Amino acid sequence: MAIFRMLKCIQRSFSKVACNRIRICIVGSGPAGFYTAEKILKAHGGAEVDIIDRLPTPFGLVRSGVAPDHPETKIVTNQFSRVANDGRCSFFGNVLLGSSISLSELRAMYNAVVLAYGAESDRVLGIPGEGLAGIYSAREFVWWYNGHPDCSSLSPDLKSTDTAVILGQGNVALDVARVLLRPLEELATTDIACHALAALQESNIRKVYLVGRRGPAQAACTAKELREILGIKGLRIHIQEADLRISTEEEVELKSNRIRRRVYELLSKAATSSPNNLTSHQRDLHFVFFRRPDIFLESKDRSGHVAGVHFEKTIVKDTDSGMQMAVGTEQFEDLKCGLVLKSIGYKSIPVEGVPFEPHKGTVPNVGGRVLNDVKGDFIEFEKGLYVCGWLKRGPTGIIATNHHCAEETVANIIEDINEGVISSSISLPGREGLLQLLANKNVNVVPFSAWGKVDAEEKTRGSLKNKPREKLTTWKELLRVALG
Amino acid sequence: MYISKFSKQFSQLAARALGSQLKAPLTSAPRTSCAYLPRNHDFFPLQHGAFFSTTAANASEEGNEEKQKISVTFVDKDGEEQNIKVPLGTSMLEAAHENDIELEGACEGSLACSTCHVIVMDMEYYNKLEEPTDEENDMLDLAFGLTETSRLGCQVIAKPELDGIRLAIPAASRNMAVDGYKPKPH
Ligand SMILES: Cc1cc2nc3c(=O)[nH]c(=O)nc-3n(C[C@H](O)[C@H](O)[C@H](O)COP(=O)(O)OP(=O)(O)OC[C@H]3O[C@@H](n4cnc5c(N)ncnc54)[C@H](O)[C@@H]3O)c2cc1C
Ligand SMILES: NC(=O)c1ccc[n+]([C@@H]2O[C@H](COP(=O)([O-])OP(=O)(O)OC[C@H]3O[C@@H](n4cnc5c(N)ncnc54)[C@H](OP(=O)(O)O)[C@@H]3O)[C@@H](O)[C@H]2O)c1
Ligand code: FES
């Protein structure tokens, strides 16, 4: 009976808010932004949702992160497009928070703002030589092969060396290794950027080292990506069998951790099995464990250019908190290479007015409500300000993780509407105000229909080359096609 | 909590609101926009058989079943049940979508997303399914709230033996560490 009364009460407040207009702006059109929009539209009949993105193109890392040879993963853009085409939803590209518009301007125009602008910089190692030429973050390299307009002119040199070292063993590391090692004809029919395809065509990289600071029982990748790279045609896999020995603690840990266990099993199997389909164009992939980068070595002949990495060997130790940590042994080893890709994690960027935890690289929040201050046992929230996705949780998780993440943030937004924390009675300028302000600032907004022109153009160009699309990769061209 | 006497949309919304109040009273912001510091401990439990005790609102009561269809019951996040008839050869993902049941299918059945995760509620039925392939297991690794009887909805195809199967759609939780990553040592 008590539940029944409670339901009645919620029903009343729902029908009240349903007819009131709530204007919500989401910053960032990746999975977090689109899932948030979808859930708000479903949960609140009076919500009007605007999604802004700094790029003229939507979908965040689904377009600029997900590997070109994973078209199935990008199918989710169909669902996101349906959301964007909802009558109560708008997309405005080419709008950069912090430059085209400030957070305080946005908050003054909308009942609520949801920050979902991802993680667009990199963790750094902070070791000598990190600035040498030939060292890139995996993020830059991925943006380059995926045609992100900020990295289309990266032009990594794949010709002057036959060896690349990738630091980190997460799924991003496996993605970049696969792009370097996969037979070209298999990449040629993907949506890989044409400049990347051309560079890979001339690439002399034959040997890739994937280096982890811990062991095969802690590898950060998942079985799907690992299975895929292990199955590349003509690729010889090298794994030191000695590295596969695990401690009793690790064995126990693997029993209870399905993901790690299956990765470990795949690695063990690969260490002992003979290579498949070896051809004359054979390439080598070395999994190197227990090595922590110490110094980047500079080339003697090419000044300012990387020539290798000096590693400290490690062992894995259990900490009191139950974590397994890499501990240096003061034994060192060098690996020579002409290209280094640091794949040790992304990091979010602070924007003026956004509370930010610099160490974690996230916006402090509880369940997606942005924290303003913590006073003793009490916490204070920023009224009407929320966060979702990598900016909320840090740069891990697959696309689906953002679905649950959005569910949590939206549940709290709806709760705040129901409790009157966000007021729908105040009429705010919302969409009209935003567009007016951007027009005053001469920002050329790219609506979803204009992205449609880019989409169509890319597909047409792609069809001529047997590719699903040929991406437009420069700001100039993107804006010309979108706004032309 | 059994609430299916209310209209679907309303009961879902209400239960969601209720759910979040009941599950996490410490994290909800009262009107003042101040709250106690939450203890962030509500892990999603591995629910071995947790659903098995749900009282069965029997699916096949309606009789008169068409030969080519089997009866499938979906139990959504809020515990609400929906019985549908599924033509043989159809995947549970397609069937759910045809019946407006909220089951995600981000990759539209191409085994690349894990969002179509369902939990088979009776071991007996789980055992009637073919073993998941390596590829399905790879995606299941990443599924949210994995249990011992989890499958991907797009890979479960209606066949006569499955008549009467009950599938739970996992509920969201406040623990976002779903792809197996523990906090990293540095
Ligand atoms: C290389 C790579 C490959 C991946 N592959 C897969 C995969 O195969 N499968 C899978 O499930 N997951 C994959 N992931 C993970 C998945 O991409 C992420 O979980 C997801 O994209 C995170 O979503 P998000 O919305 O938080 O961030 P993002 O997707 O990064 O979206 C952020 C958006 O915000 C915009 N933005 C940034 N700054 C501003 C600003 N100041 N103003 C306005 N807009 C701004 C950006 O342009 C971008 O569109 C991959 C990740 C990476 C890095
Ligand atoms: N197909 C897919 O599903 C797909 C594809 C790409 C990305 N993603 C997802 O996107 C997320 C991000 O991927 P990611 O690869 O960037 O991150 P990640 O999985 O967190 O991997 C980061 C890697 O960098 C290492 N590392 C971190 N700091 C280091 C340091 N200071 N020195 C040396 N090594 C260091 C980590 O080692 P330690 O383990 O020792 O910390 C780990 O190997 C992940 O959740 C991933 O699953 C998914
Ligand atoms: S719909 Fe993507 S795996 Fe089933």
Side-chain angles (χ1 to χ4, degrees):
Chain A
M1 209 46 213
I3 287 186
F4 184 70
R5 265 202 308 274
M6 212 153 156
L7 290 174
K8 265 273 185 225
C9 168
I10 292 170
Q11 185 183 34
R12 245 180 278 124
S13 60
F14 175 71
S15 49
K16 191 179 81 201
V17 294
C19 50
N20 276 339
R21 200 146 66 151
I22 284 273
R23 312 187 102 163
I24 297 179
C25 184
I26 297 171
V27 183
S29 68
F34 267 109
Y35 279 130
T36 302
E38 183 181 38
K39 305 217 161 286
I40 292 176
L41 292 168
K42 261 191 202 151
H44 196 295
E48 189 181 272
V49 177
D50 297 336
I51 307 175
I52 63 170
D53 200 289
R54 73 180 186 92
L55 293 183
T57 55
F59 313 135
L61 283 168
V62 180
R63 178 176 161 99
S64 66
V66 172
D69 55 351
H70 285 173
E72 328 78 42
T73 308
K74 303 184 195 199
I75 290 176
V76 69
T77 57
N78 292 345
Q79 189 179 341
F80 295 161
S81 301
R82 283 194 293 274
V83 174
N85 285 319
D86 185 303
R88 290 187 286 133
C89 185
S90 295
F91 167 83
F92 301 121
N94 199 30
V95 180
L96 171 64
L97 176 69
S99 160
S100 322
I101 191 151
S102 71
L103 183 63
S104 54
E105 284 168 329
L106 269 189
R107 291 179 76 181
M109 288 189 292
Y110 288 87
N111 300 102
V113 173
V114 185
L115 303 169
Y117 63 75
E120 301 211 315
S121 81
D122 316 291
R123 269 191 208 140
V124 290
L125 288 162
I127 60 171
E130 208 164 345
L132 290 172
I135 304 177
Y136 303 94
S137 70
R139 177 187 56 83
E140 295 169 301
F141 190 74
V142 169
W143 271 4
W144 169 73
Y145 66 61
N146 275 334
H148 189 291
D150 284 357
C151 281
S152 48
S153 52
L154 192 75
S155 313
D157 177 6
L158 309 179
K159 268 163 86 172
S160 340
T161 177
D162 67 352
T163 307
V165 165
I166 300 172
L167 301 173
Q169 295 179 326
N171 281 336
V172 172
L174 263 57
D175 271 352
V176 297
R178 201 176 63 252
V179 167
L180 284 173
L181 293 168
R182 198 165 184 160
L184 199 77
E185 61 274 17
E186 293 178 13
L187 288 173
T189 52
T190 70
D191 68 3
I192 191 168
C194 62
H195 54 243
L197 193 64
L200 287 165
Q201 195 148 25
E202 303 200 323
S203 165
N204 284 319
I205 306 274
R206 292 286 171 271
K207 212 187 294 176
V208 172
Y209 291 91
L210 267 168
V211 188
R213 60 179 166 177
R214 298 190 286 162
Q218 293 88 28
C221 58
T222 54
K224 181 173 189 273
E225 295 260 320
L226 182 58
R227 195 185 300 283
E228 193 177 2
I229 200 164
L230 294 175
I232 288 183
K233 263 198 278 175
L235 184 66
R236 203 156 54 180
I237 307 292
H238 304 259
I239 299 170
Q240 300 280 331
E241 280 193 58
D243 284 350
L244 291 161
R245 264 183 244 127
I246 51 171
S247 67
T248 334
E249 292 82 33
E250 285 176 322
E251 212 171 306
V252 173
E253 156 85 16
L254 286 184
K255 279 214 178 88
S256 63
N257 189 329
R258 175 185 157 127
I259 299 183
R260 294 266 198 271
R261 182 176 67 245
R262 296 183 78 247
V263 165
Y264 176 78
E265 285 167 0
L266 275 176
L267 288 168
S268 307
K269 212 167 127 202
T272 49
S273 60
S274 50
N276 54 345
N277 307 321
L278 281 191
T279 61
S280 49
H281 296 293
Q282 181 196 307
R283 296 176 184 196
D284 294 277
L285 173 63
H286 296 253
F287 285 85
V288 180
F289 297 99
F290 306 110
R291 297 289 185 280
R292 177 162 89 184
D294 188 54
I295 296 173
F296 291 106
L297 306 169
E298 185 174 347
S299 164
K300 297 216 167 65
D301 344 307
R302 286 174 83 188
S303 120
H305 202 279
V306 72
V309 188
H310 185 61
F311 287 101
E312 181 173 18
K313 296 187 186 176
T314 64
I315 50 170
V316 167
K317 283 223 170 117
D318 274 9
T319 59
D320 295 341
S321 56
M323 285 198 288
Q324 292 144 336
M325 248 177 63
V327 180
T329 61
E330 297 192 2
Q331 290 177 312
F332 296 86
E333 186 185 79
D334 291 351
L335 266 182
K336 289 205 174 70
C337 65
L339 175 71
V340 175
L341 299 172
K342 294 183 292 173
S343 183
I344 58 165
Y346 285 51
K347 196 164 182 181
S348 296
I349 299 173
V351 164
E352 203 195 324
V354 177
F356 198 74
E357 291 185 41
H359 182 66
K360 285 196 201 158
T362 53
V363 169
N365 71 92
V366 178
R369 290 186 176 106
V370 175
L371 274 178
N372 167 339
D373 204 0
V374 180
K375 290 188 190 109
D377 261 1
F378 283 90
I379 49 182
E380 211 173 287
F381 294 111
E382 288 277 346
K383 202 173 148 204
L385 189 63
Y386 302 86
V387 62
C388 191
W390 276 19
L391 185 62
K392 167 181 166 189
R393 314 184 316 271
T396 59
I398 56 169
I399 293 169
T401 319
N402 302 291
H403 177 256
H404 306 294
C405 188
E407 220 159 50
E408 181 186 56
T409 296
V410 172
N412 286 329
I413 296 176
I414 296 296
E415 193 172 284
D416 287 353
I417 295 173
N418 286 335
E419 295 194 352
V421 177
I422 305 174
S423 168
S424 56
S425 52
I426 313 161
S427 171
L428 293 172
R431 188 172 301 168
E432 297 77 41
L434 174 75
L435 290 177
Q436 186 60 57
L437 191 100
L438 292 171
N440 293 348
K441 292 184 179 191
N442 294 320
V443 176
N444 290 313
V445 172
V446 176
F448 204 70
S449 55
W451 147 248
K453 291 196 223 164
V454 174
D455 189 33
E457 174 71 17
E458 289 186 344
K459 283 178 174 156
T460 308
R461 292 192 194 186
S463 67
L464 303 174
K465 297 180 176 172
N466 198 21
K467 295 175 80 176
R469 66 173 68 238
E470 183 64 69
K471 285 183 181 171
L472 306 184
T473 60
T474 61
W475 280 96
K476 203 171 148 201
E477 208 174 10
L478 281 164
L479 291 175
R480 185 180 58 75
V481 172
L483 302 172
Chain B
M1 174 170 42
Y2 193 71
I3 47 174
S4 66
K5 27 185 156 160
F6 299 98
S7 78
K8 185 162 190 280
Q9 191 194 21
F10 162 54
S11 64
Q12 277 182 355
L13 180 98
R16 201 176 299 140
L18 264 179
S20 60
Q21 286 189 5
L22 296 177
K23 264 186 268 163
L26 295 174
T27 59
S28 53
R31 255 165 269 274
T32 55
S33 194
C34 271
Y36 271 109
L37 269 182
R39 310 190 204 303
N40 207 1
H41 288 167
D42 25 2
F43 275 88
F44 194 91
L46 264 192
Q47 308 183 337
H48 308 271
F51 283 101
F52 292 34
S53 59
T54 318
T55 358
N58 205 323
S60 49
E61 268 166 14
E62 291 149 42
N64 253 7
E65 261 175 39
E66 286 174 52
K67 270 245 164 72
Q68 306 299 75
K69 291 187 177 176
I70 62 166
S71 156
V72 175
T73 303
F74 280 92
V75 181
D76 76 12
K77 304 176 204 294
D78 308 321
E80 200 191 339
E81 305 202 352
Q82 202 169 335
N83 177 247
I84 59 172
K85 301 281 174 275
V86 181
L88 297 181
T90 307
S91 79
M92 295 303 133
L93 177 70
E94 292 167 279
H97 286 183
E98 266 156 32
N99 290 278
D100 289 329
I101 291 171
E102 270 191 50
L103 178 64
E104 285 288 311
C107 75
E108 297 176 5
S110 44
L111 210 47
C113 75
S114 83
T115 59
C116 60
H117 173 202
V118 291
I119 297 166
V120 183
M121 291 169 68
D122 302 286
M123 192 53 99
E124 186 199 333
Y125 279 100
Y126 181 79
N127 290 334
K128 289 181 189 174
L129 297 168
E130 271 147 48
E131 286 276 298
T133 58
D134 283 345
E135 288 69 27
E136 184 179 347
N137 269 324
D138 287 354
M139 274 338 296
L140 276 172
D141 276 359
L142 310 178
F144 187 71
L146 190 71
T147 73
E148 282 182 351
T149 61
S150 286
R151 292 299 299 255
L152 293 179
C154 67
Q155 302 302 304
V156 177
I157 312 295
K159 57 180 182 177
E161 307 91 281
L162 297 182
D163 188 34
I165 195 171
R166 293 157 55 78
L167 301 171
I169 300 172
S173 96
R174 296 194 172 243
N175 170 30
M176 290 301 153
V178 297
D179 70 347
Y181 294 93
K182 295 203 166 161
K184 297 274 165 58
H186 289 284

